[in-house]
Amino acid sequence: MVVAERLPSTRTEPAATSVTIQSAAAFEPHQDGVGFAFPPLVGDANWEPWVEYAQYRIKESFRLEANWDFEGAEPVTHDAAQFANTIARRLNRDRVARPFISGTPEGAIGFEWSGGSVDLFLTVHGTHLEVAVRDPESGEFHEGRPAEVAEPLDRALALLVN
Amino acid sequence: MAAEGFVPAYVDEDLPLNVVIYRAVSSERVDWLDLDDLGAPALKSQAFQNMKPSEALDRGYEQPAMSVVLSHILEEHGEPPDRALDLFDETYGIAAFSVSDLRSIRPRLGVCANPLDGAPWHGLVFGLERRLIKKKEQYGMMDAAVLIKHPIP
């Protein structure tokens, strides 16, 4: 099975009033074509969905108050929480391995995969994504918007899809 | 390579390589679903970040830096690493890595003592080549650090 759709790199749906998915349009490519392709699925019977984990972590992060880290962190924005829910569902649909999910100091939501064959960090802001990807063996490192780091991002996702 | 014109706000101290840098780590920065053989949760990169720039300014720091505790000063005062948790509750644990580890990270990071009232062992880790500690440096510290005291979720 080949997944040809693209994860939105920017929000496409209007802001909603709760941390739930409001529009299927969020799963579609952004009109400017900025996004990243998912690699082919290879199938893994051991893969388990992590949507509920993601929803729990996003809600917990959303509840954190300003300066929760005693280092000036901003509260997670509603838009970031909602976009993160969208991203989580999309990643689950494509059987990407479970990330660690937490709030970031800028009020975004971070999706982090580390400790394996690739390190990937998605910072989900209310309106856009930022990506950092590292090969832990070579130290090769890239960061930027999805379209700016498309190749290393695709390679990372290929290693994370089950 | 340092960004052109960038000058760090602090002087990087020439500390012995075996000095240990302790960092208080929130339970929000470890993965409780990823435990090692001893039951320790996996440390994540966000455990190693500078304070928010606006917060740094409010506290009088010219350059956003990461608060740490330095082992050689603790030892001078006969205090244990747990003093790194003086300002935190049980939801915080302690990660540790050495000055030697720090020196291997690129872009380079500096370290210096930054004594505070009641905490003369307080120090700062800061960027030597750029103002903020970014993801690449965070990964470097995450790779090196060991969680020596678990936070309680």
Side-chain angles (χ1 to χ4, degrees):
Chain A
M1 180 179 177
V2 175
V3 176
E5 295 91 345
R6 289 167 171 263
L7 189 70
S9 66
T10 55
R11 272 174 56 97
T12 54
E13 76 275 41
T17 55
S18 64
V19 187
T20 55
I21 303 304
Q22 298 293 316
S23 169
F27 296 106
E28 300 302 322
H30 191 255
Q31 289 182 347
D32 64 9
V34 177
F36 52 88
F38 271 70
L41 302 182
V42 294
D44 183 343
N46 295 322
W47 183 83
E48 294 182 8
W50 44 270
V51 170
E52 289 185 8
Y53 161 81
Q55 290 174 336
Y56 171 77
R57 288 294 305 166
I58 292 166
K59 282 183 180 177
E60 288 298 300
S61 300
F62 186 58
R63 288 176 178 156
L64 295 171
E65 297 178 351
N67 197 34
W68 64 267
D69 62 353
F70 303 105
E71 294 186 314
E74 294 178 12
V76 170
T77 66
H78 175 271
D79 283 355
Q82 183 169 359
F83 194 26
N85 258 318
T86 300
I87 296 293
R89 287 176 181 271
R90 185 65 178 81
L91 293 170
N92 262 267
R93 198 178 80 183
D94 293 321
R95 299 170 62 91
V96 175
R98 180 187 69 84
F100 174 68
I101 298 175
S102 65
T104 77
E106 305 84 16
I109 296 280
F111 286 56
E112 178 167 7
W113 294 263
S114 58
S117 54
V118 67
D119 294 324
L120 174 62
F121 197 99
L122 300 181
T123 305
V124 184
H125 296 276
T127 55
H128 65 281
L129 285 176
E130 291 177 1
V131 177
V133 58
R134 181 185 71 156
D135 180 333
E137 284 199 13
S138 69
E140 184 181 328
F141 181 85
H142 304 271
E143 62 185 339
R145 298 290 182 94
E148 297 167 342
V149 295
E151 284 190 25
L153 177 56
D154 282 349
R155 288 199 300 272
L157 287 167
L159 294 168
L160 292 169
V161 169
N162 292 285
Chain B
M1 182 176 291
E4 189 173 348
F6 177 72
V7 178
Y10 320 105
V11 176
D12 184 28
E13 291 187 27
D14 186 19
L15 298 178
L17 296 179
N18 63 354
V19 164
V20 179
I21 298 168
Y22 298 109
R23 165 74 172 164
V25 174
S26 165
S27 63
E28 283 290 318
R29 299 303 188 212
V30 299
D31 189 351
W32 292 98
L33 297 182
D34 182 8
L35 307 180
D36 68 14
D37 293 342
L38 299 175
L43 271 168
K44 293 300 176 182
S45 62
Q46 286 197 88
F48 306 99
Q49 63 193 16
N50 52 247
M51 61 188 79
K52 193 162 173 284
S54 58
E55 179 75 8
L57 279 176
D58 287 348
R59 296 190 196 181
Y61 293 110
E62 293 179 49
Q63 179 182 348
M66 185 176 88
S67 279
V68 297
V69 161
L70 301 172
S71 69
H72 66 300
I73 308 177
L74 283 172
E75 289 162 8
E76 288 170 11
H77 290 80
E79 297 287 349
D82 278 8
R83 297 305 300 263
L85 299 178
D86 279 358
L87 300 177
F88 303 98
D89 63 17
E90 69 277 4
T91 64
Y92 276 73
I94 303 173
F97 57 101
S98 69
V99 168
S100 176
D101 294 325
L102 187 82
R103 297 306 183 207
S104 69
I105 294 170
R106 298 290 182 275
R108 293 180 301 128
L109 297 171
V111 59
C112 67
N114 177 244
L116 301 178
D117 286 345
W121 36 79
H122 182 258
L124 298 174
V125 167
F126 56 95
L128 286 174
E129 300 182 38
R130 52 190 181 183
R131 186 166 179 265
L132 300 178
I133 296 171
K134 296 191 175 183
K135 189 56 70 181
K136 195 172 184 184
E137 297 94 304
Q138 290 181 329
Y139 278 146
M141 289 186 276
M142 178 187 75
D143 289 345
V146 175
L147 196 62
I148 64 167
K149 182 166 187 170
H150 300 188
I152 296 175

